[in-house]
Amino acid sequence: MSDALRISRDASAALRVQGRIDVRNAASALARGDEIVVAGARVELDVSGLQSADSVTVSVLLAWAAQAARQGGRLECTNVPPRLLATAHLCKAESLLGIAAG
């Protein structure tokens, strides 16, 4: 799998993010929030394909979630890999990212 950040929709119109979000591409990843956020809508974002799980990754996801909230919507991250879940937990960001407790 390539390290490049990819945002796509699958056949069921679900959003997926794959690749890396890190210090090298954080600014461009932030700018891609418009591809994810839908004003006034709850957006499920499958993050199972993310290859990064550090604070930069969580920061970009939080920025996308904040953008959604400003537009009256909500971002919910699904299929969160264990390392990303652990980082989100350390940052106390699970609820902000719509990660279900469990």
Side-chain angles (χ1 to χ4, degrees):
M1 183 184 297
S2 169
D3 282 353
L5 179 63
R6 294 181 313 285
I7 299 170
S8 61
R9 292 191 187 274
D10 65 18
S12 68
L15 276 171
R16 292 185 52 119
V17 62
Q18 297 173 292
R20 298 188 72 76
I21 299 173
D22 57 26
V23 296
R24 294 172 298 168
N25 70 351
S28 63
L30 280 172
R32 296 185 71 184
D34 290 338
E35 294 177 49
I36 293 171
V37 174
V38 177
R42 180 178 66 83
V43 175
E44 288 187 31
L45 181 64
D46 182 337
V47 296
S48 62
L50 278 176
Q51 297 173 354
S52 51
D54 60 13
S55 60
V56 174
T57 306
V58 172
S59 295
V60 170
L61 293 173
L62 284 170
W64 289 346
Q67 181 179 349
R70 284 191 304 275
Q71 295 181 17
R74 177 158 173 80
L75 181 70
E76 294 183 1
C77 294
T78 62
N79 301 315
V80 182
R83 288 183 55 220
L84 182 57
L85 183 59
T87 304
H89 179 73
L90 285 172
C91 299
K92 300 187 184 315
E94 299 105 309
S95 64
L96 296 171
L97 295 175
I99 298 172

